[in-house]
Amino acid sequence: MVEDDLKQLLIQTDRAAGPAVAPRADLASRIRHLDRRRRRITMISEPIALAAGLMLAMGIFFWTGKKPISIAKPQAVPPELVQNTGIPEVPTTTPDTKAELAQMSLALVQLQAEAETQMLVVRQLRAWERQQARLAELERQLAAIPDPLEEVRRQVEQAAYTMVYHADLKYNKLNLKDSAIQDFQRVIKLYPQTRWAQVAQNKLSEIRYNRKGALL
Amino acid sequence: MTSVMAGSTIRQAARRIRPESQLEEQLAERYIRGDESAFEEIVASYQGYVAGLTYRLLGWGGDVEDVVQEVFLAVFRNLGKFRGDSSLNTWLTAITVNKCRSWRRKHLLKMKLLKIAGRQKQAAPPRSDQGVMNRETFDRVRRTLQGLPGHYREVMVLHYMEEMPITEVAEVLGLRRNVVDVRLSRARARIREKLADLIEK
């Protein structure tokens, strides 16, 4: 009953959600167009990606290979050599350079923080995927365990068959006819739902028929 | 497995008699022989079904149009390889399920990043007449279904909403019947936990 109620609830919710999307008359032609476009993009993007990769590698190579610009502290000029030309002293670093360096440091810190966040999410996603894979594996193992009811049915059939086989052997080969008849009757009593019960019944009918014929 | 195989044999026998399944086979055969209009007919016949299934598998949300396009693009590229081992409907269902999984995987990362950035999208309201169900109930059921793991949601949608027998669900998902039974029972338990009061009503 609960399953029916659950089904009804889902169906009602589905109806409440309404239709998915309006059908498009031109979907087939859009698909063909999309297929052509993606094939073209794939053909073009591979060499572009290769070229971009090469340029990036070269850029990194040159950037790391460059020597750092050292801003040397200018030597102090002896006062006797300074002529009164009014040339002002050169400062060690300009305000623009300081500001630029500060901006670059800030940008670097921000990039690092973003990269760490994204890496964290990627790690979580991978952990989740591993968990899902493990769950799927456990479910497969669970499904591989044979159904106990099925196993019991199979064993019942096997037992009924064995009994019928031995009864038949007793009747035909060992001449233990009374014992065989009892065994056939036991199969019908103990295993009525199996097909061997029907076989035992047929055997008993055959025996009775033969005996009647012998009496006549 | 035996029951799935038996089911397949019965389906194959039924297909010889059912006119719709013969039509499906003819469509694929026509396409293989070079009749481009067969693809148009497949799109026209199955567009509604694929869109509806996608909508349900994505929990009555998501980019249904995008996924439908991806499904039919996959059909367009692989129809020549369709050999009729299963019905066209089953094949399309399997493709739709796979494309929905890909969409969810791709958007899981995006959703997590948006959540971190505090810019999560608000759920869209129900589109139909609210007399069928009130907004709060709809939102609860939708959130519950969206909160189910993907593989549980798939079996719930295919079995209860698409009304597929378990053997067919197993065939579509490429699983054994026992596994489908286990997933259905666990999905039901989870839904009952969250929506016991609604189910009893």
Side-chain angles (χ1 to χ4, degrees), chain A residues 2-3 5-7 9-25 27-32 34-36 38-39 117-118 121-122 124-125 128-129 132 135-136 139-140 142-147, chain B residues 36 39-40 43 47 51-52 55-56 60 64-65 68-70 72-73 76-77 105 108-109 112-113 116 126-128 132-133 138 141 145 151-152 156 159-161 163 176 178-179 182-183 186 188 191-192 195 198-199:
Chain A
V2 176
E3 205 177 317
D5 297 335
L6 174 59
K7 182 177 172 179
L9 179 66
L10 290 172
I11 290 173
Q12 275 176 20
T13 312
D14 188 48
R15 267 191 229 133
V21 285
R24 299 184 70 115
L27 183 59
S29 57
R30 273 176 69 93
I31 298 296
R32 287 180 204 281
L34 190 63
D35 179 57
R36 275 195 300 271
R38 284 199 186 172
R39 282 181 202 276
T117 311
Q118 295 201 0
V121 171
V122 167
Q124 281 178 354
L125 192 59
W128 176 82
E129 279 183 351
Q132 294 301 310
L135 192 59
E139 279 179 353
R140 268 195 292 276
L142 182 65
I145 298 166
D147 183 6
Chain B
E36 300 276 322
F39 178 68
E40 263 81 11
V43 170
Q47 195 186 156
Y55 193 37
R56 289 173 195 118
W60 301 296
V64 176
E65 274 202 40
V68 168
Q69 275 190 15
E70 291 302 321
F72 283 109
L73 186 61
F76 181 70
R77 287 178 173 176
R105 261 199 300 268
L108 185 66
L109 182 59
K112 286 200 173 191
L113 286 172
I116 289 166
R127 302 186 214 190
S128 74
V132 177
M133 182 180 269
F138 175 80
V141 178
L145 203 68
H151 47 282
Y152 290 173
M156 290 300 287
H159 183 55
Y160 288 113
M161 290 188 241
E163 293 187 316
R176 293 175 66 166
N178 308 27
V179 177
V182 163
R183 287 185 186 183
R186 286 186 188 161
R188 279 195 296 264
I191 292 178
R192 236 179 272 132
L195 304 175
L198 292 177
I199 294 168

Side-chain angles (χ1 to χ4, degrees), chain B residues 16-65:
Chain B
R16 281 182 226 121
I17 308 158
R18 240 181 356 133
E20 298 86 25
S21 58
Q22 286 176 347
L23 197 63
E24 287 171 3
E25 282 179 12
Q26 282 170 14
L27 281 173
E29 276 166 31
R30 276 170 51 200
Y31 185 81
I32 292 166
R33 274 189 264 118
D35 181 359
E36 300 276 322
S37 67
F39 178 68
E40 263 81 11
E41 281 182 49
I42 289 171
V43 170
S45 308
Y46 288 98
Q47 195 186 156
Y49 168 71
V50 168
L53 178 61
T54 304
Y55 193 37
R56 289 173 195 118
L57 284 171
L58 298 183
W60 301 296
D63 297 326
V64 176
E65 274 202 40

Side-chain angles (χ1 to χ4, degrees), chain A residues 11-198:
Chain A
I11 290 173
Q12 275 176 20
T13 312
D14 188 48
R15 267 191 229 133
V21 285
R24 299 184 70 115
D26 63 339
L27 183 59
S29 57
R30 273 176 69 93
I31 298 296
R32 287 180 204 281
H33 177 71
L34 190 63
D35 179 57
R36 275 195 300 271
R37 200 173 68 189
R38 284 199 186 172
R39 282 181 202 276
R40 244 181 275 138
I41 288 170
T42 310
M43 273 171 54
I44 295 167
S45 62
E46 280 168 4
I48 289 177
L50 189 63
L54 277 170
M55 282 177 63
L56 185 67
M58 282 167 62
I60 292 171
F61 174 74
F62 282 121
W63 188 65
T64 52
K66 256 177 149 174
K67 283 187 188 160
I69 299 167
S70 53
I71 303 168
K73 200 175 169 183
Q75 299 284 335
V77 182
E80 56 271 18
L81 294 179
V82 172
Q83 291 177 9
N84 197 8
T85 56
I87 300 170
E89 277 185 24
V90 177
T92 51
T93 52
T94 61
D96 289 342
T97 316
K98 267 192 188 170
E100 270 176 23
L101 281 172
Q103 269 180 359
M104 279 170 66
S105 316
L106 188 62
L108 191 62
V109 165
Q110 280 175 349
L111 279 171
Q112 272 174 349
E114 273 182 36
E116 272 166 23
T117 311
Q118 295 201 0
M119 276 312 293
L120 185 66
V121 171
V122 167
R123 271 188 225 114
Q124 281 178 354
L125 192 59
R126 290 194 67 181
W128 176 82
E129 279 183 351
R130 275 196 294 270
Q131 204 184 24
Q132 294 301 310
R134 177 81 187 126
L135 192 59
E137 179 57 35
L138 287 171
E139 279 179 353
R140 268 195 292 276
Q141 284 175 13
L142 182 65
I145 298 166
D147 183 6
L149 213 55
E150 200 53 50
E151 190 59 25
V152 164
R153 258 186 235 122
R154 196 187 62 78
Q155 286 184 12
V156 163
E157 287 278 339
Q158 184 69 29
Y161 161 72
T162 308
M163 217 167 197
V164 164
Y165 175 77
H166 284 135
D168 194 56
L169 213 58
K170 280 184 191 176
Y171 190 85
N172 290 320
K173 297 264 162 62
L174 302 175
N175 207 26
L176 298 168
K177 296 196 190 307
D178 290 335
S179 177
I181 289 170
Q182 278 174 6
D183 284 350
F184 282 131
Q185 285 167 342
R186 275 179 71 203
V187 169
I188 296 166
K189 187 179 172 186
L190 291 174
Y191 310 114
Q193 302 297 326
T194 63
R195 61 192 170 115
W196 299 108
Q198 188 57 46

Side-chain angles (χ1 to χ4, degrees), chain B residues 143-160:
Chain B
R143 268 199 305 273
T144 306
L145 203 68
Q146 282 179 342
L148 285 179
H151 47 282
Y152 290 173
R153 199 186 318 156
E154 284 163 8
V155 294
M156 290 300 287
V157 167
L158 292 175
H159 183 55
Y160 288 113

